[in-house]
Amino acid sequence: MYPSFPEKTPAEGEAVKKGIHPEYVEAIVTCACGETWRTRSTKREIHLEVCSACHPFFTGRQKYVDTAGRVERFQKKYGSRQADERKG
């Protein structure tokens, strides 16, 4: 039926097997907007494009995240059509 759970819990510091897990260290998270904070991770540095300080849901402001010029290509392709349709 259900697996039985061990009655004893591992002692402090013995929660994971030794030698098979990456090192869990203090990390610095940096967003593209300039916001930084400290947390813990298996990586020492983490870089983000959007965080809670600049995300439109939290700020209420619209922001385009332009990855590889996608917004510019879209506006170049369809922007002039929408302007022409409004005029005529």
Side-chain angles (χ1 to χ4, degrees):
M1 284 197 168
Y2 295 106
S4 60
F5 293 102
E7 293 180 17
K8 293 183 179 181
T9 58
E12 186 68 32
E14 295 180 11
V16 296
K17 291 183 179 180
K18 297 195 184 302
I20 63 169
H21 296 283
E23 186 181 1
Y24 191 60
V25 296
E26 186 172 291
I28 298 174
V29 181
T30 306
C31 180
C33 71
E35 188 77 17
T36 61
W37 64 92
R38 293 182 183 273
T39 188
R40 292 184 57 84
S41 175
T42 56
K43 296 182 178 182
R44 295 195 184 278
E45 292 183 11
I46 302 170
H47 298 279
L48 304 175
E49 291 182 15
V50 179
C51 69
S52 61
C54 62
H55 193 281
F57 180 80
F58 298 107
T59 63
R61 295 177 304 191
Q62 184 64 33
K63 177 182 177 182
Y64 290 109
V65 178
D66 189 9
T67 306
R70 291 180 186 163
V71 174
E72 289 176 357
R73 280 192 312 221
F74 178 83
Q75 289 177 344
K76 188 177 190 181
K77 187 173 183 180
Y78 298 107
S80 61
R81 285 187 193 174
Q82 291 173 351
D84 292 342
E85 289 175 5
R86 288 186 212 146
K87 288 179 187 177

PDB file of all heavy atoms in Angstrom, residues 39-69:
ATOM      1  N   THR A  39      20.353  35.834  -1.785  1.00  0.00           N
ATOM      2  CA  THR A  39      19.583  34.627  -1.487  1.00  0.00           C
ATOM      3  C   THR A  39      20.568  33.474  -1.444  1.00  0.00           C
ATOM      4  O   THR A  39      21.773  33.681  -1.396  1.00  0.00           O
ATOM      5  CB  THR A  39      18.479  34.408  -2.552  1.00  0.00           C
ATOM      6  OG1 THR A  39      17.645  33.333  -2.136  1.00  0.00           O
ATOM      7  CG2 THR A  39      19.066  34.117  -3.915  1.00  0.00           C
ATOM      8  N   ARG A  40      20.082  32.259  -1.458  1.00  0.00           N
ATOM      9  CA  ARG A  40      20.965  31.096  -1.489  1.00  0.00           C
ATOM     10  C   ARG A  40      20.614  30.267  -2.703  1.00  0.00           C
ATOM     11  O   ARG A  40      19.462  30.144  -3.082  1.00  0.00           O
ATOM     12  CB  ARG A  40      20.819  30.279  -0.205  1.00  0.00           C
ATOM     13  CG  ARG A  40      21.367  31.049   0.991  1.00  0.00           C
ATOM     14  CD  ARG A  40      21.332  30.266   2.267  1.00  0.00           C
ATOM     15  NE  ARG A  40      22.037  28.998   2.244  1.00  0.00           N
ATOM     16  CZ  ARG A  40      23.340  28.831   2.454  1.00  0.00           C
ATOM     17  NH1 ARG A  40      24.094  29.870   2.690  1.00  0.00           N
ATOM     18  NH2 ARG A  40      23.884  27.638   2.444  1.00  0.00           N
ATOM     19  N   SER A  41      21.645  29.705  -3.337  1.00  0.00           N
ATOM     20  CA  SER A  41      21.463  28.921  -4.554  1.00  0.00           C
ATOM     21  C   SER A  41      22.693  28.059  -4.773  1.00  0.00           C
ATOM     22  O   SER A  41      23.677  28.162  -4.050  1.00  0.00           O
ATOM     23  CB  SER A  41      21.259  29.861  -5.748  1.00  0.00           C
ATOM     24  OG  SER A  41      21.196  29.124  -6.947  1.00  0.00           O
ATOM     25  N   THR A  42      22.643  27.250  -5.808  1.00  0.00           N
ATOM     26  CA  THR A  42      23.821  26.473  -6.193  1.00  0.00           C
ATOM     27  C   THR A  42      24.719  27.286  -7.116  1.00  0.00           C
ATOM     28  O   THR A  42      25.817  26.869  -7.428  1.00  0.00           O
ATOM     29  CB  THR A  42      23.408  25.162  -6.892  1.00  0.00           C
ATOM     30  OG1 THR A  42      22.587  25.486  -8.008  1.00  0.00           O
ATOM     31  CG2 THR A  42      22.666  24.262  -5.921  1.00  0.00           C
ATOM     32  N   LYS A  43      24.234  28.456  -7.572  1.00  0.00           N
ATOM     33  CA  LYS A  43      25.037  29.379  -8.379  1.00  0.00           C
ATOM     34  C   LYS A  43      25.360  30.601  -7.532  1.00  0.00           C
ATOM     35  O   LYS A  43      24.539  31.037  -6.733  1.00  0.00           O
ATOM     36  CB  LYS A  43      24.272  29.821  -9.617  1.00  0.00           C
ATOM     37  CG  LYS A  43      23.979  28.697 -10.570  1.00  0.00           C
ATOM     38  CD  LYS A  43      23.274  29.225 -11.792  1.00  0.00           C
ATOM     39  CE  LYS A  43      23.012  28.118 -12.779  1.00  0.00           C
ATOM     40  NZ  LYS A  43      22.361  28.623 -13.983  1.00  0.00           N
ATOM     41  N   ARG A  44      26.515  31.194  -7.730  1.00  0.00           N
ATOM     42  CA  ARG A  44      26.911  32.366  -6.947  1.00  0.00           C
ATOM     43  C   ARG A  44      26.291  33.655  -7.463  1.00  0.00           C
ATOM     44  O   ARG A  44      26.066  34.577  -6.704  1.00  0.00           O
ATOM     45  CB  ARG A  44      28.429  32.490  -6.916  1.00  0.00           C
ATOM     46  CG  ARG A  44      29.078  31.341  -6.180  1.00  0.00           C
ATOM     47  CD  ARG A  44      30.509  31.647  -5.833  1.00  0.00           C
ATOM     48  NE  ARG A  44      31.150  30.505  -5.207  1.00  0.00           N
ATOM     49  CZ  ARG A  44      31.045  30.199  -3.921  1.00  0.00           C
ATOM     50  NH1 ARG A  44      30.318  30.934  -3.130  1.00  0.00           N
ATOM     51  NH2 ARG A  44      31.669  29.143  -3.429  1.00  0.00           N
ATOM     52  N   GLU A  45      26.003  33.735  -8.756  1.00  0.00           N
ATOM     53  CA  GLU A  45      25.389  34.917  -9.364  1.00  0.00           C
ATOM     54  C   GLU A  45      24.229  34.501 -10.252  1.00  0.00           C
ATOM     55  O   GLU A  45      24.339  33.534 -11.001  1.00  0.00           O
ATOM     56  CB  GLU A  45      26.402  35.689 -10.208  1.00  0.00           C
ATOM     57  CG  GLU A  45      27.492  36.349  -9.423  1.00  0.00           C
ATOM     58  CD  GLU A  45      28.420  37.156 -10.310  1.00  0.00           C
ATOM     59  OE1 GLU A  45      28.099  37.364 -11.496  1.00  0.00           O
ATOM     60  OE2 GLU A  45      29.468  37.582  -9.802  1.00  0.00           O
ATOM     61  N   ILE A  46      23.126  35.260 -10.160  1.00  0.00           N
ATOM     62  CA  ILE A  46      21.952  35.012 -10.990  1.00  0.00           C
ATOM     63  C   ILE A  46      21.568  36.343 -11.627  1.00  0.00           C
ATOM     64  O   ILE A  46      21.467  37.356 -10.936  1.00  0.00           O
ATOM     65  CB  ILE A  46      20.779  34.456 -10.156  1.00  0.00           C
ATOM     66  CG1 ILE A  46      21.198  33.160  -9.467  1.00  0.00           C
ATOM     67  CG2 ILE A  46      19.547  34.251 -11.022  1.00  0.00           C
ATOM     68  CD1 ILE A  46      20.200  32.657  -8.448  1.00  0.00           C
ATOM     69  N   HIS A  47      21.359  36.361 -12.950  1.00  0.00           N
ATOM     70  CA  HIS A  47      20.985  37.578 -13.665  1.00  0.00           C
ATOM     71  C   HIS A  47      19.574  37.400 -14.231  1.00  0.00           C
ATOM     72  O   HIS A  47      19.289  36.403 -14.884  1.00  0.00           O
ATOM     73  CB  HIS A  47      21.973  37.866 -14.794  1.00  0.00           C
ATOM     74  CG  HIS A  47      23.357  38.111 -14.294  1.00  0.00           C
ATOM     75  ND1 HIS A  47      23.756  39.327 -13.799  1.00  0.00           N
ATOM     76  CD2 HIS A  47      24.425  37.295 -14.172  1.00  0.00           C
ATOM     77  CE1 HIS A  47      25.012  39.251 -13.414  1.00  0.00           C
ATOM     78  NE2 HIS A  47      25.447  38.016 -13.629  1.00  0.00           N
ATOM     79  N   LEU A  48      18.699  38.395 -13.977  1.00  0.00           N
ATOM     80  CA  LEU A  48      17.314  38.364 -14.422  1.00  0.00           C
ATOM     81  C   LEU A  48      17.030  39.497 -15.389  1.00  0.00           C
ATOM     82  O   LEU A  48      17.693  40.528 -15.359  1.00  0.00           O
ATOM     83  CB  LEU A  48      16.375  38.517 -13.226  1.00  0.00           C
ATOM     84  CG  LEU A  48      16.522  37.530 -12.082  1.00  0.00           C
ATOM     85  CD1 LEU A  48      15.597  37.920 -10.949  1.00  0.00           C
ATOM     86  CD2 LEU A  48      16.197  36.139 -12.558  1.00  0.00           C
ATOM     87  N   GLU A  49      16.011  39.330 -16.228  1.00  0.00           N
ATOM     88  CA  GLU A  49      15.560  40.410 -17.092  1.00  0.00           C
ATOM     89  C   GLU A  49      14.451  41.206 -16.414  1.00  0.00           C
ATOM     90  O   GLU A  49      14.342  42.401 -16.619  1.00  0.00           O
ATOM     91  CB  GLU A  49      15.042  39.843 -18.411  1.00  0.00           C
ATOM     92  CG  GLU A  49      16.130  39.256 -19.283  1.00  0.00           C
ATOM     93  CD  GLU A  49      15.585  38.749 -20.607  1.00  0.00           C
ATOM     94  OE1 GLU A  49      14.440  39.106 -20.959  1.00  0.00           O
ATOM     95  OE2 GLU A  49      16.303  38.017 -21.282  1.00  0.00           O
ATOM     96  N   VAL A  50      13.594  40.539 -15.635  1.00  0.00           N
ATOM     97  CA  VAL A  50      12.456  41.186 -14.989  1.00  0.00           C
ATOM     98  C   VAL A  50      12.349  40.670 -13.557  1.00  0.00           C
ATOM     99  O   VAL A  50      12.490  39.474 -13.303  1.00  0.00           O
ATOM    100  CB  VAL A  50      11.143  40.854 -15.747  1.00  0.00           C
ATOM    101  CG1 VAL A  50       9.954  41.507 -15.083  1.00  0.00           C
ATOM    102  CG2 VAL A  50      11.228  41.276 -17.197  1.00  0.00           C
ATOM    103  N   CYS A  51      12.109  41.598 -12.614  1.00  0.00           N
ATOM    104  CA  CYS A  51      11.918  41.210 -11.212  1.00  0.00           C
ATOM    105  C   CYS A  51      10.659  41.898 -10.686  1.00  0.00           C
ATOM    106  O   CYS A  51       9.977  42.616 -11.414  1.00  0.00           O
ATOM    107  CB  CYS A  51      13.140  41.589 -10.374  1.00  0.00           C
ATOM    108  SG  CYS A  51      13.364  43.361 -10.166  1.00  0.00           S
ATOM    109  N   SER A  52      10.347  41.728  -9.417  1.00  0.00           N
ATOM    110  CA  SER A  52       9.148  42.336  -8.845  1.00  0.00           C
ATOM    111  C   SER A  52       9.240  43.852  -8.785  1.00  0.00           C
ATOM    112  O   SER A  52       8.229  44.536  -8.706  1.00  0.00           O
ATOM    113  CB  SER A  52       8.892  41.777  -7.448  1.00  0.00           C
ATOM    114  OG  SER A  52       9.982  42.081  -6.598  1.00  0.00           O
ATOM    115  N   ALA A  53      10.446  44.411  -8.849  1.00  0.00           N
ATOM    116  CA  ALA A  53      10.608  45.870  -8.817  1.00  0.00           C
ATOM    117  C   ALA A  53      10.297  46.508 -10.172  1.00  0.00           C
ATOM    118  O   ALA A  53       9.985  47.693 -10.232  1.00  0.00           O
ATOM    119  CB  ALA A  53      12.024  46.229  -8.399  1.00  0.00           C
ATOM    120  N   CYS A  54      10.370  45.735 -11.265  1.00  0.00           N
ATOM    121  CA  CYS A  54      10.135  46.323 -12.586  1.00  0.00           C
ATOM    122  C   CYS A  54       9.059  45.591 -13.403  1.00  0.00           C
ATOM    123  O   CYS A  54       8.745  46.014 -14.507  1.00  0.00           O
ATOM    124  CB  CYS A  54      11.444  46.381 -13.377  1.00  0.00           C
ATOM    125  SG  CYS A  54      12.192  44.778 -13.697  1.00  0.00           S
ATOM    126  N   HIS A  55       8.477  44.525 -12.894  1.00  0.00           N
ATOM    127  CA  HIS A  55       7.458  43.778 -13.634  1.00  0.00           C
ATOM    128  C   HIS A  55       6.158  44.583 -13.699  1.00  0.00           C
ATOM    129  O   HIS A  55       5.739  45.170 -12.709  1.00  0.00           O
ATOM    130  CB  HIS A  55       7.199  42.429 -12.946  1.00  0.00           C
ATOM    131  CG  HIS A  55       6.408  41.498 -13.787  1.00  0.00           C
ATOM    132  ND1 HIS A  55       5.046  41.593 -13.911  1.00  0.00           N
ATOM    133  CD2 HIS A  55       6.792  40.464 -14.561  1.00  0.00           C
ATOM    134  CE1 HIS A  55       4.614  40.635 -14.712  1.00  0.00           C
ATOM    135  NE2 HIS A  55       5.659  39.949 -15.128  1.00  0.00           N
ATOM    136  N   PRO A  56       5.513  44.644 -14.868  1.00  0.00           N
ATOM    137  CA  PRO A  56       4.284  45.438 -15.011  1.00  0.00           C
ATOM    138  C   PRO A  56       3.170  45.044 -14.044  1.00  0.00           C
ATOM    139  O   PRO A  56       2.392  45.893 -13.627  1.00  0.00           O
ATOM    140  CB  PRO A  56       3.841  45.158 -16.452  1.00  0.00           C
ATOM    141  CG  PRO A  56       5.061  44.719 -17.160  1.00  0.00           C
ATOM    142  CD  PRO A  56       5.921  44.052 -16.139  1.00  0.00           C
ATOM    143  N   PHE A  57       3.086  43.802 -13.651  1.00  0.00           N
ATOM    144  CA  PHE A  57       2.044  43.385 -12.720  1.00  0.00           C
ATOM    145  C   PHE A  57       2.193  44.091 -11.379  1.00  0.00           C
ATOM    146  O   PHE A  57       1.218  44.494 -10.762  1.00  0.00           O
ATOM    147  CB  PHE A  57       2.087  41.866 -12.512  1.00  0.00           C
ATOM    148  CG  PHE A  57       1.033  41.366 -11.566  1.00  0.00           C
ATOM    149  CD1 PHE A  57      -0.266  41.176 -12.003  1.00  0.00           C
ATOM    150  CD2 PHE A  57       1.332  41.098 -10.242  1.00  0.00           C
ATOM    151  CE1 PHE A  57      -1.240  40.725 -11.140  1.00  0.00           C
ATOM    152  CE2 PHE A  57       0.366  40.645  -9.371  1.00  0.00           C
ATOM    153  CZ  PHE A  57      -0.932  40.458  -9.816  1.00  0.00           C
ATOM    154  N   PHE A  58       3.417  44.263 -10.909  1.00  0.00           N
ATOM    155  CA  PHE A  58       3.663  44.873  -9.613  1.00  0.00           C
ATOM    156  C   PHE A  58       3.750  46.389  -9.691  1.00  0.00           C
ATOM    157  O   PHE A  58       3.414  47.084  -8.736  1.00  0.00           O
ATOM    158  CB  PHE A  58       4.953  44.323  -9.002  1.00  0.00           C
ATOM    159  CG  PHE A  58       4.900  42.851  -8.752  1.00  0.00           C
ATOM    160  CD1 PHE A  58       5.622  41.970  -9.553  1.00  0.00           C
ATOM    161  CD2 PHE A  58       4.128  42.321  -7.738  1.00  0.00           C
ATOM    162  CE1 PHE A  58       5.571  40.611  -9.334  1.00  0.00           C
ATOM    163  CE2 PHE A  58       4.073  40.964  -7.516  1.00  0.00           C
ATOM    164  CZ  PHE A  58       4.797  40.100  -8.317  1.00  0.00           C
ATOM    165  N   THR A  59       4.218  46.939 -10.818  1.00  0.00           N
ATOM    166  CA  THR A  59       4.411  48.384 -10.926  1.00  0.00           C
ATOM    167  C   THR A  59       3.222  49.101 -11.530  1.00  0.00           C
ATOM    168  O   THR A  59       3.049  50.291 -11.318  1.00  0.00           O
ATOM    169  CB  THR A  59       5.646  48.702 -11.790  1.00  0.00           C
ATOM    170  OG1 THR A  59       5.427  48.207 -13.109  1.00  0.00           O
ATOM    171  CG2 THR A  59       6.901  48.102 -11.200  1.00  0.00           C
ATOM    172  N   GLY A  60       2.421  48.402 -12.324  1.00  0.00           N
ATOM    173  CA  GLY A  60       1.291  49.032 -12.988  1.00  0.00           C
ATOM    174  C   GLY A  60       1.692  49.771 -14.258  1.00  0.00           C
ATOM    175  O   GLY A  60       0.868  50.425 -14.881  1.00  0.00           O
ATOM    176  N   ARG A  61       2.949  49.715 -14.657  1.00  0.00           N
ATOM    177  CA  ARG A  61       3.435  50.358 -15.869  1.00  0.00           C
ATOM    178  C   ARG A  61       3.735  49.302 -16.921  1.00  0.00           C
ATOM    179  O   ARG A  61       4.228  48.234 -16.592  1.00  0.00           O
ATOM    180  CB  ARG A  61       4.721  51.142 -15.597  1.00  0.00           C
ATOM    181  CG  ARG A  61       4.527  52.311 -14.663  1.00  0.00           C
ATOM    182  CD  ARG A  61       5.836  52.973 -14.407  1.00  0.00           C
ATOM    183  NE  ARG A  61       6.754  51.945 -13.881  1.00  0.00           N
ATOM    184  CZ  ARG A  61       7.926  52.188 -13.351  1.00  0.00           C
ATOM    185  NH1 ARG A  61       8.367  53.398 -13.274  1.00  0.00           N
ATOM    186  NH2 ARG A  61       8.683  51.218 -12.886  1.00  0.00           N
ATOM    187  N   GLN A  62       3.444  49.637 -18.170  1.00  0.00           N
ATOM    188  CA  GLN A  62       3.738  48.719 -19.270  1.00  0.00           C
ATOM    189  C   GLN A  62       5.221  48.792 -19.596  1.00  0.00           C
ATOM    190  O   GLN A  62       5.798  49.864 -19.643  1.00  0.00           O
ATOM    191  CB  GLN A  62       2.920  49.076 -20.505  1.00  0.00           C
ATOM    192  CG  GLN A  62       3.101  48.125 -21.657  1.00  0.00           C
ATOM    193  CD  GLN A  62       2.609  46.720 -21.347  1.00  0.00           C
ATOM    194  OE1 GLN A  62       1.663  46.530 -20.610  1.00  0.00           O
ATOM    195  NE2 GLN A  62       3.251  45.726 -21.913  1.00  0.00           N
ATOM    196  N   LYS A  63       5.833  47.647 -19.834  1.00  0.00           N
ATOM    197  CA  LYS A  63       7.247  47.604 -20.182  1.00  0.00           C
ATOM    198  C   LYS A  63       7.431  46.530 -21.238  1.00  0.00           C
ATOM    199  O   LYS A  63       6.961  45.411 -21.086  1.00  0.00           O
ATOM    200  CB  LYS A  63       8.083  47.249 -18.944  1.00  0.00           C
ATOM    201  CG  LYS A  63       9.562  47.103 -19.234  1.00  0.00           C
ATOM    202  CD  LYS A  63      10.324  46.706 -17.994  1.00  0.00           C
ATOM    203  CE  LYS A  63      11.781  46.488 -18.301  1.00  0.00           C
ATOM    204  NZ  LYS A  63      12.535  46.056 -17.147  1.00  0.00           N
ATOM    205  N   TYR A  64       8.137  46.877 -22.308  1.00  0.00           N
ATOM    206  CA  TYR A  64       8.449  45.898 -23.335  1.00  0.00           C
ATOM    207  C   TYR A  64       9.790  45.269 -23.017  1.00  0.00           C
ATOM    208  O   TYR A  64      10.770  45.970 -22.792  1.00  0.00           O
ATOM    209  CB  TYR A  64       8.542  46.550 -24.718  1.00  0.00           C
ATOM    210  CG  TYR A  64       7.206  47.015 -25.246  1.00  0.00           C
ATOM    211  CD1 TYR A  64       6.918  48.366 -25.339  1.00  0.00           C
ATOM    212  CD2 TYR A  64       6.250  46.105 -25.648  1.00  0.00           C
ATOM    213  CE1 TYR A  64       5.705  48.795 -25.810  1.00  0.00           C
ATOM    214  CE2 TYR A  64       5.030  46.523 -26.123  1.00  0.00           C
ATOM    215  CZ  TYR A  64       4.763  47.868 -26.212  1.00  0.00           C
ATOM    216  OH  TYR A  64       3.561  48.284 -26.692  1.00  0.00           O
ATOM    217  N   VAL A  65       9.832  43.946 -23.002  1.00  0.00           N
ATOM    218  CA  VAL A  65      11.089  43.239 -22.855  1.00  0.00           C
ATOM    219  C   VAL A  65      11.492  42.808 -24.254  1.00  0.00           C
ATOM    220  O   VAL A  65      10.912  41.895 -24.825  1.00  0.00           O
ATOM    221  CB  VAL A  65      10.941  42.016 -21.912  1.00  0.00           C
ATOM    222  CG1 VAL A  65      12.245  41.268 -21.819  1.00  0.00           C
ATOM    223  CG2 VAL A  65      10.466  42.463 -20.545  1.00  0.00           C
ATOM    224  N   ASP A  66      12.431  43.514 -24.821  1.00  0.00           N
ATOM    225  CA  ASP A  66      12.824  43.295 -26.204  1.00  0.00           C
ATOM    226  C   ASP A  66      14.000  42.331 -26.252  1.00  0.00           C
ATOM    227  O   ASP A  66      15.124  42.689 -25.948  1.00  0.00           O
ATOM    228  CB  ASP A  66      13.193  44.622 -26.850  1.00  0.00           C
ATOM    229  CG  ASP A  66      13.397  44.478 -28.343  1.00  0.00           C
ATOM    230  OD1 ASP A  66      13.084  43.398 -28.878  1.00  0.00           O
ATOM    231  OD2 ASP A  66      13.864  45.433 -28.967  1.00  0.00           O
ATOM    232  N   THR A  67      13.720  41.098 -26.628  1.00  0.00           N
ATOM    233  CA  THR A  67      14.758  40.097 -26.751  1.00  0.00           C
ATOM    234  C   THR A  67      15.086  39.933 -28.225  1.00  0.00           C
ATOM    235  O   THR A  67      14.227  39.558 -29.018  1.00  0.00           O
ATOM    236  CB  THR A  67      14.279  38.761 -26.163  1.00  0.00           C
ATOM    237  OG1 THR A  67      13.848  38.998 -24.832  1.00  0.00           O
ATOM    238  CG2 THR A  67      15.369  37.734 -26.162  1.00  0.00           C
ATOM    239  N   ALA A  68      16.280  40.248 -28.596  1.00  0.00           N
ATOM    240  CA  ALA A  68      16.787  40.095 -29.971  1.00  0.00           C
ATOM    241  C   ALA A  68      16.004  40.929 -30.970  1.00  0.00           C
ATOM    242  O   ALA A  68      15.791  40.518 -32.106  1.00  0.00           O
ATOM    243  CB  ALA A  68      16.780  38.629 -30.374  1.00  0.00           C
ATOM    244  N   GLY A  69      15.518  42.115 -30.561  1.00  0.00           N
ATOM    245  CA  GLY A  69      14.867  43.031 -31.492  1.00  0.00           C
ATOM    246  C   GLY A  69      13.491  42.612 -31.950  1.00  0.00           C
ATOM    247  O   GLY A  69      13.019  43.057 -32.990  1.00  0.00           O
TER     248      GLY A  69
END
